[in-house]
Amino acid sequence: MNTEPVISLIGVTKRIGRTNIIDDLTFDVPQGEIFGFLGPNGAGKTTTIRMIVGLMSITKGQILIKGKNIKTEFEQAIRHVGAIVESPEMYKYLSGYQNLVHYARMVPGVTKDRIDEVVSLVKLENRIHDKVKKYSLGMRQRLGVAQALLHRPSLLILDEPTNGLDPAGIRELRDYLRNLTRTEGITVVVSSHLLSEMELMCDRVAIIQRGKLVNVMPIQHFTQGDDQDQTYLIQAQPSEQALETIKNMDGVRRVNLVEDEKIEVTTDREQIPDILIGLMQNQVRIYGVQLVCQTLEDRFLEITEGGQIG
Amino acid sequence: MVNLVLNENMKIYRRLRTWILIGLMIAFVLFVNIMNWHFDGKSAQGKGWRTELQKEITQWNEVLKQPKLDKQTKKYYQQQIAINEYHLEQNIRSTEGTLWDGVNGSAGMMIVITIFTIIIVGDSVAGEFSSGTIKLLLIRPASRTKILVSKYISLLLFGILLLLTLFVVSVVINGILFGFGHMDLPLIKATAEGQVVESNMLLNLWKTYMLNSVSTVMYVSMAFMISSAFRSSAMAIGLSIVSLFAGNIVMQALQRFDWSKYLLFANTDLTQYLSGLPFQEGMTLSFSITVLIVYFTLFNLISWLIFTRRDVAS
Ligand SMILES: Nc1ncnc2c1ncn2[C@@H]1O[C@H](COP(=O)(O)OP(=O)(O)O)[C@@H](O)[C@H]1O
Ligand SMILES: [Mg+2]
């Protein structure tokens, strides 16, 4: 497998007027990954995507796609990219098929067979010769995906693709993206302001807030925290004594009584056996120990220090 | 590049709007020619061309007797008389009452071509922005320059299509009205030196078309520039058509200023050098061509700079 990142952003900054809407973004996405780009509305997701696909100029820094600079080697860089920026606006007075022919003509090597292939991929066979004017929102989204995949891109960029989709549609999209990364080794960058969607879809997530990168991490770390910082729920009696005991132990970051008999402890994973031994030695009866998975929501609020979402 | 032009053509001709304009063009040409035939052409056919020409000569001789005639006007009537006499001597009939009368007259409808082309031009770039399709158009391995050039080419092709429509429809309708005889009738005209010569009628017609096309191309470039600068179809179409009409009026007011000869509108009509009556004394064909080239370059340079540089943020 190729270890060179499919896309890398290096110190990317966008200044409009006197403010940096995007400020010093740096991250890489390796091949085959579904990379989430998460942030509240107005965080700068769309702006970043516009810079990646060359719709907007980059004030400072650079963006490389398969090693090609989007600014200086636009044509070589962009041929690896398929994208939907915000909603996929098509020529409404043309049929879906004519729209695809239009985009196919712009990239060398897209055959008629390939057009038919993507049409069946997005299940638009029956309506592809209708005018786009008559399409539903869902059909337009699918036609958008079709135009993005037409030229077999290595990198697929979707800006808030779940907007306007129902839960079934979102699930379909998710399975579909998984499939693409597995069978074709495609890399996907997908933006969203909805955490729950990212959680199910992505391998790694970058959080962006007010144009700044807050964090990049695998989705598991995201939901569970890392090994040094995990939260457990211990059911024990008498709880007063348990609380006292735990408070006096090493390596405990936080402890509090959440409700009767339930104590929440945040500590290093390695500390848990010692805590339990300590409790037993103090005649505390333990009924249950449970790792608390934070929801993405909690985690997000923690990381962005309460920055509001969506 | 060929593919890009095919794309732009698809976007022009797959729209109802375009066919309405072409239909209107045909309707206008038919209407004007049928009216012309109805009120004018029929009578000329009836009395015979010799009588008509003779009558004209007599009329013009009367005019020439007036004492206060300026040199230009005098020269003009003398030439016309010479041309008519040539017709009579050589037994070559006048275009009056033949299809050429209508066909040549229809060349005056090229302003309609300019207007209709401007309508399509104005929407060409601005329409991609207002519909949002520009985002998907510009993220392909085709540089913005190539996309802009292919748009420009497709728009010129549309203008050429309208011109061919004008030509074919005017020949066919006038052929039907006046008959297709006299197709090989020569054009009798006076040279700048006052000599009367014969030339090819069809060739002359296309020369007129080409000279008028210069102005069309200038207005197309102007509308194209406004379309890419302001991203507003209405503004591009409106401003261009207003300047097309207001241009001449404004120029008349400005004629007394020497600098007005550098304005675009003073130079778009190159037929002024055929008639030998330029906008200002001392203007030459090469002067006008130079001025036009400067404006042409300027318009297209601005379109290009704006289209290739600006952020797509809508
Ligand atoms: N053309 C522009 N001029 C000025 N500010 C802009 C422009 N485009 C976007 N912004 C600002 O940049 C920020 C990021 O916008 P955007 O990238 O659309 O966010 P997101 O897609 O994450 O919701 C917003 O605060 C927006 O107001
Ligand atoms: Mg957005």
Side-chain angles (χ1 to χ4, degrees):
Chain A
M1 197 159 124
N2 195 350
T3 48
E4 185 197 36
V6 170
I7 173 169
S8 41
L9 276 75
I10 307 154
V12 172
T13 300
K14 178 71 184 178
R15 173 186 286 269
I16 291 185
R18 241 174 280 151
T19 49
N20 288 346
I21 342 184
I22 301 298
D23 196 3
D24 200 23
L25 279 195
T26 300
F27 63 81
D28 287 346
V29 183
Q31 200 212 329
E33 188 173 76
I34 301 185
F35 185 80
F37 201 43
L38 179 63
N41 278 333
K45 304 180 293 294
T46 302
T47 306
T48 307
I49 288 173
R50 281 179 197 273
M51 286 193 283
I52 293 174
V53 297
L55 288 176
M56 274 185 158
S57 62
I58 303 161
T59 310
K60 225 167 69 193
Q62 52 180 341
I63 294 172
L64 304 177
I65 296 165
K66 291 204 124 191
K68 305 284 183 199
N69 189 314
I70 193 71
K71 189 172 171 187
T72 55
E73 302 159 287
F74 177 75
E75 290 177 45
Q76 291 104 300
I78 203 73
R79 70 167 56 234
H80 302 295
V81 181
I84 300 180
V85 184
E86 293 185 314
S87 52
E89 279 111 352
M90 300 282 179
Y91 300 100
K92 291 196 175 67
Y93 51 88
L94 298 179
S95 70
Y97 192 81
Q98 286 162 348
N99 268 287
L100 293 181
V101 167
H102 176 270
Y103 297 118
R105 281 191 187 133
M106 300 183 78
V107 192
V110 181
T111 59
K112 208 186 154 297
D113 286 345
R114 176 61 184 168
I115 299 180
D116 294 337
E117 201 178 350
V118 291
V119 168
S120 61
L121 209 68
V122 298
K123 303 194 186 75
L124 274 177
E125 297 99 322
N126 294 330
R127 300 289 303 279
I128 197 66
H129 291 290
D130 288 2
K131 286 212 166 28
V132 171
K133 234 190 312 233
K134 295 186 195 150
Y135 282 15
S136 67
L137 186 65
M139 290 166 72
R140 284 180 201 190
Q141 291 276 21
R142 279 186 277 160
L143 187 61
V145 173
Q147 65 77 28
L149 292 173
L150 206 53
H151 49 292
R152 300 180 192 280
S154 320
L155 174 65
L156 181 64
I157 301 176
L158 304 173
D159 189 11
E160 313 239 7
T162 52
N163 273 1
L165 290 187
D166 53 16
I170 292 173
R171 202 160 121 195
E172 200 180 328
L173 178 74
R174 186 182 75 215
D175 294 345
Y176 181 64
L177 292 181
R178 275 266 160 257
N179 205 22
L180 271 179
T181 56
R182 265 193 220 116
T183 57
E184 308 204 19
I186 263 188
T187 307
V188 182
V189 170
V190 48
S191 84
S192 179
H193 64 280
L194 292 173
L195 308 151
S196 47
E197 288 171 3
M198 297 266 111
E199 185 174 15
L200 297 169
M201 222 182 270
C202 303
D203 301 315
R204 257 190 336 146
V205 170
I207 297 178
I208 176 176
Q209 198 188 17
R210 285 185 223 102
K212 287 200 172 74
L213 197 64
V214 180
N215 216 333
V216 185
M217 61 179 96
I219 198 82
Q220 298 86 4
H221 285 199
F222 221 111
T223 46
Q224 292 166 7
D226 45 34
D227 281 358
Q228 273 95 57
D229 204 15
Q230 297 198 333
T231 303
Y232 295 84
L233 206 60
I234 299 173
Q235 271 186 53
Q237 234 181 356
S239 37
E240 288 307 317
Q241 191 167 349
L243 198 62
E244 279 309 304
T245 312
I246 298 172
K247 266 184 187 159
N248 295 326
M249 295 188 75
D250 289 338
V252 173
R253 255 171 223 99
R254 210 167 45 189
V255 60
N256 54 299
L257 196 65
V258 277
E259 57 189 90
D260 198 32
E261 294 182 15
K262 282 188 184 164
I263 299 155
E264 204 177 66
V265 188
T266 303
T267 183
D268 189 341
R269 185 177 133 87
E270 288 304 312
Q271 287 291 321
I272 284 297
D274 295 340
I275 290 175
L276 296 181
I277 291 167
L279 287 174
M280 284 190 272
Q281 280 169 354
N282 280 309
Q283 273 77 46
V284 175
R285 296 162 72 90
I286 302 166
Y287 295 94
V289 180
Q290 193 186 352
L291 176 64
V292 178
C293 283
Q294 276 179 306
T295 65
L296 207 49
E297 231 85 13
D298 298 335
R299 187 71 184 153
F300 184 79
L301 288 173
E302 198 178 297
I303 290 169
T304 61
E305 283 143 14
Q308 86 287 9
I309 314 148
Chain B
M1 195 69 198
V2 174
N3 274 347
L4 294 181
V5 176
L6 285 178
N7 273 349
E8 294 309 323
N9 280 343
M10 176 165 76
K11 286 183 263 181
I12 293 176
Y13 300 108
R14 294 281 179 184
R15 294 192 82 163
L16 183 62
R17 181 182 70 185
T18 307
W19 292 100
I20 291 176
L21 290 179
I22 294 173
L24 276 177
M25 182 79 211
I26 294 172
F28 280 158
V29 177
L30 291 179
F31 179 78
V32 168
N33 280 295
I34 291 171
M35 284 299 130
N36 176 51
W37 169 79
H38 184 75
F39 291 111
D40 218 18
K42 274 194 295 197
S43 59
Q45 257 174 330
K47 287 177 195 153
W49 59 274
R50 284 184 168 276
T51 342
E52 287 287 327
L53 289 187
Q54 208 69 64
K55 220 167 77 189
E56 277 173 7
I57 293 177
T58 328
Q59 262 175 21
W60 291 334
N61 273 323
E62 286 301 315
V63 176
L64 282 175
K65 278 182 196 143
Q66 286 170 15
K68 277 190 289 183
L69 232 48
D70 66 73
K71 238 172 67 188
Q72 290 277 11
T73 324
K74 205 163 163 182
K75 192 175 149 202
Y76 171 79
Y77 283 113
Q78 279 166 347
Q79 277 181 1
Q80 292 304 309
I81 291 168
I83 290 170
N84 275 12
E85 278 168 349
Y86 188 92
H87 274 286
L88 293 166
E89 278 162 27
Q90 304 288 321
N91 197 25
I92 299 167
R93 64 163 303 159
S94 66
T95 59
E96 200 80 11
T98 72
L99 85 166
W100 284 114
D101 190 31
V103 172
N104 288 340
S106 298
M109 294 180 70
M110 280 195 67
I111 189 155
V112 181
I113 295 181
T114 307
I115 294 170
F116 285 5
T117 311
I118 285 174
I119 292 175
I120 301 292
V121 172
D123 200 41
S124 173
V125 177
E128 300 267 8
F129 279 94
S130 58
S131 68
T133 48
I134 190 77
K135 289 183 295 188
L136 291 182
L137 183 67
L138 294 185
I139 55 167
R140 315 280 149 182
S143 66
R144 292 191 187 188
T145 304
K146 281 188 193 154
I147 286 172
L148 195 72
V149 170
S150 58
K151 277 192 177 297
Y152 195 81
I153 291 174
S154 73
L155 295 165
L156 289 185
L157 289 175
F158 177 70
I160 292 172
L161 176 75
L162 287 182
L163 182 60
L164 287 176
T165 308
L166 172 70
F167 174 68
V168 171
V169 175
S170 68
V171 167
V172 169
I173 183 62
N174 284 297
I176 292 169
L177 294 171
F178 295 100
F180 285 98
H182 310 296
M183 282 283 257
D184 54 353
L185 201 66
L187 175 80
I188 314 297
K189 61 176 184 188
T191 60
E193 294 82 42
Q195 240 183 326
V196 178
V197 291
E198 286 181 29
S199 66
N200 185 302
M201 190 78 85
L202 189 64
L203 217 63
N204 185 72
L205 176 67
W206 277 92
K207 205 163 122 191
T208 312
Y209 281 164
M210 289 304 113
L211 286 176
N212 281 312
S213 299
V214 170
S215 135
T216 309
V217 170
M218 295 310 296
Y219 284 103
V220 162
S221 303
M222 182 199 265
F224 199 58
M225 173 186 74
I226 301 171
S227 185
S228 22
F230 297 100
R231 299 169 179 192
S232 153
S233 321
M235 198 175 209
I237 297 168
L239 279 181
S240 309
I241 292 181
V242 164
S243 54
L244 176 64
F245 287 109
N248 283 329
I249 300 164
V250 173
M251 288 323 289
Q252 271 162 25
L254 295 178
Q255 195 171 16
R256 58 207 169 88
F257 301 109
D258 187 49
W259 50 263
S260 65
K261 67 173 182 243
Y262 297 105
L263 293 175
L264 173 66
F265 313 110
N267 297 284
T268 45
D269 178 21
L270 289 180
T271 56
Q272 61 185 311
Y273 299 107
L274 287 186
S275 63
L277 286 167
F279 172 70
Q280 267 182 15
E281 200 78 31
M283 279 170 70
T284 62
L285 182 62
S286 49
F287 170 82
S288 280
I289 290 175
T290 311
V291 172
L292 289 175
I293 289 174
V294 169
Y295 275 101
F296 178 83
T297 313
L298 195 71
F299 288 157
N300 290 312
L301 190 69
I302 292 174
S303 306
W304 178 76
L305 284 174
I306 291 175
F307 188 76
T308 54
R309 299 282 186 284
R310 233 207 227 169
D311 281 351
V312 178
S314 54

